Amino acid sequence: MVVRILLLGSGAREHAILSALLAENAGHEVTVAPGNAGIAGEAETISLDPENPKLVADFAADNGIELVIIGPEAPLVAGVADAVRKRRIPVFGPSKAAAQLESSKAFAKRVMDAAGVPTGRAANAATMDEVVAALDAFGAPYVVKADGLAAGKGVLVTPDRAAALAHAEHYLQVGPVLVEEFLDGHEVSLFLLADGSSVVPLAPAQDFKRVGDGDTGPNTGGMGAYSPLPWLPDGFVQEVVSSVALPVIRQLAEEGTPFGGLLYCGLILTAQGVRVIEFNARFGDPETQVVLPRLRTPLSGLLLAAATGSLAEQPPLEFSDDVCVTVVLASEGYPADPKTGRRISGIEAAAAVPGVTILHAATARKDNQLLATGGRVLSVVARAPDFAEARARAYRALTEIRLDGSHFRTDIAAQAAE
Ligand code: AMP
Ligand code: GLY
């Protein structure tokens, strides 16, 4: 079935979603707002503001759009899904109220408590005295989080008490902070499609959040990812469905804020069992880049089913046995202060490496030159029968790409390849 789709967003996540839609070869008509230089090479792009609910809903209604897919969190928080749903147009993405699962860590903690979902202990602190008390109660290493959206930068995990106090003091200027118990273990990102009452899990992935090799340096939006996770215990996905995802979806439905869209479970596998560290209300980036290429079931049908409440009728999902690795190329200075406007070259040679796809994140074309316009510039995604080969392909492709001052991690999926 051909679907007229409006896809909102401009990053590598949206490029990955677009690639999956086009790979169906179903003749979908996809418009992306606003997209980037890579997306513009594969689909129609328009300069519509994706965070303006009225403009998006008007565009969808006026252009016979049959499915709106919301990539990033900002349009969700702005109420874009609500505005589109009001026009009776299917939309993949939760309401503003349900998206608080991502936009407010305090909201997420409350829902988890009410639903009995396993998570770390946490204290909400509005003053420095409360911060100090909570740091003392949980002990080192310290975990301090800003409450609202902070693009991954609001979280500090540190053994350094003075640094934890300084981070709390900084974010207390804008609102309360959350002090959490430190959870020790492997991190897993699990995405689930949700339609308000049912959930369907995708394949688990691992994200590399720190900027430097060996998990050093500051947190970023994510510097690489791989899927599947060969070290996961049997039954892991089913356990997350029954102990995390379904209880949360039922709790939100009971509260009158049903969640339809992508439930992103950020998890830590501790010695005591699986614990939630955070929820997001949209596909994760870069994990989406390694999950969707392995999905054999047509994506458009799944997103439409989530948008229309018919996930329970979907046949089981199929995933390829191939593995997938993505490595993010970042601008000089990312994440603190990325230098932008520099020229990128060598993309064609990189894309010619077998099994490799280049996804654009922050790129623009000017005077026929490709320029980097942000921190995470592009991703090299490699598919292969095993991790050693996928890594070899990704890193070979990276040697072809030139961007002055750019950097990437060299250890993405290295442990999985051993
Ligand atoms: P968040 O934005 O909540 O996902 O936090 C960003 C990153 O900080 C996570 O991916 C973890 O690597 C780390 N982190 C967050 N909370 C904790 C915690 N309670 N214990 C250990 N690490 C954490
Ligand atoms: N990769 C982390 C995120 O999308 O939030």
Side-chain angles (χ1 to χ4, degrees):
M1 186 182 67
V2 177
V3 187
R4 293 185 68 120
I5 297 171
L6 174 63
L7 170 60
L8 302 182
S10 62
R13 163 184 45 218
E14 287 73 30
H15 200 173
I17 292 170
L18 174 68
S19 299
L21 294 171
L22 298 180
E24 293 175 24
N25 279 319
H28 300 318
E29 294 166 34
V30 188
T31 302
V32 188
N36 57 39
I39 289 172
E42 295 170 34
E44 181 195 18
T45 56
I46 52 170
S47 64
L48 181 75
D49 175 5
E51 295 173 26
N52 185 315
K54 181 170 174 353
L55 288 183
V56 172
D58 283 349
F59 180 90
D62 294 347
N63 291 276
I65 296 294
E66 296 161 297
L67 174 64
V68 177
I69 303 171
I70 301 180
E73 59 274 23
L76 300 172
V77 172
V80 170
D82 307 72
V84 174
R85 222 168 255 130
K86 218 179 241 168
R87 304 281 185 96
R88 301 182 176 278
I89 298 167
V91 53
F92 183 77
S95 67
K96 177 180 175 144
Q100 287 179 88
L101 209 52
E102 168 164 3
S103 63
S104 164
K105 292 192 187 286
F107 178 91
K109 280 284 181 195
R110 184 188 60 69
V111 170
M112 281 191 269
D113 280 349
V117 167
T119 180
R121 290 175 300 147
N124 223 319
T127 65
M128 280 311 282
D129 283 347
E130 287 170 12
V131 169
V132 168
L135 292 180
D136 288 341
F138 298 137
Y142 304 106
V143 181
V144 178
K145 301 185 176 184
D147 186 50
L149 293 178
K153 290 174 204 150
V155 176
L156 183 69
V157 181
T158 178
D160 179 348
R161 192 181 155 93
L165 288 169
H167 188 78
E169 192 153 26
H170 175 76
Y171 280 101
L172 274 180
Q173 293 169 21
V174 279
V177 299
L178 218 60
V179 177
E180 275 185 23
E181 148 186 44
F182 176 77
L183 299 170
D184 196 16
H186 279 297
E187 272 185 61
V188 180
S189 300
L190 183 66
F191 301 160
L192 300 102
L193 304 165
D195 67 0
S197 52
S198 303
V199 297
V200 174
L202 301 180
Q206 188 168 49
D207 179 16
F208 292 74
K209 287 216 166 76
R210 301 289 189 117
V211 74
D213 281 358
D215 292 330
T216 53
N219 265 321
T220 69
M223 295 297 291
Y226 68 94
S227 177
L229 308 183
W231 42 267
L232 271 183
D234 286 345
F236 173 85
V237 169
Q238 205 40 53
E239 188 198 330
V240 176
V241 167
S242 57
S243 71
V244 176
L246 276 178
V248 162
I249 292 298
R250 287 186 183 132
Q251 178 66 28
L252 287 172
E254 223 168 82
E255 295 183 10
T257 49
F259 188 103
L262 200 287
L263 178 65
Y264 167 138
C265 298
L267 308 156
I268 291 192
L269 204 53
T270 73
Q272 288 76 40
V274 65
R275 299 280 184 276
V276 175
I277 32 172
E278 66 162 349
F279 291 116
N280 292 313
R282 36 89 196 162
F283 279 106
D285 199 17
E287 298 97 308
T288 301
Q289 303 167 24
V290 292
V291 172
L292 293 187
R294 300 185 53 240
L295 176 67
R296 284 215 175 115
T297 314
L299 181 65
S300 63
L302 293 172
L303 302 190
L304 203 51
T308 54
S310 53
L311 271 182
E313 294 143 40
Q314 293 296 306
L317 301 192
E318 284 179 44
F319 282 91
S320 144
D321 288 333
D322 273 1
V323 309
C324 205
V325 171
T326 184
V327 183
V328 172
L329 183 79
S331 290
E332 179 176 355
Y334 178 75
D337 180 24
K339 305 277 179 287
T340 61
R342 293 182 182 167
R343 211 182 130 212
I344 308 163
S345 62
I347 301 243
E348 293 76 14
V353 174
V356 165
T357 307
I358 308 298
L359 296 177
H360 291 235
T363 62
R365 214 169 268 288
K366 203 177 161 197
D367 303 331
N368 218 19
Q369 292 209 330
L370 190 63
L371 302 179
T373 57
R376 291 192 293 176
V377 176
L378 55 81
S379 289
V380 174
V381 185
R383 266 181 79 163
D386 61 61
F387 282 109
E389 183 59 25
R391 273 174 50 77
R393 291 174 175 184
Y395 285 110
R396 194 183 331 145
L398 273 160
T399 63
E400 303 286 352
I401 302 176
R402 295 278 171 274
L403 168 61
D404 278 354
S406 63
H407 57 99
F408 56 84
R409 278 184 65 159
T410 67
D411 61 349
I412 305 299
Q415 280 182 343
E418 274 166 17

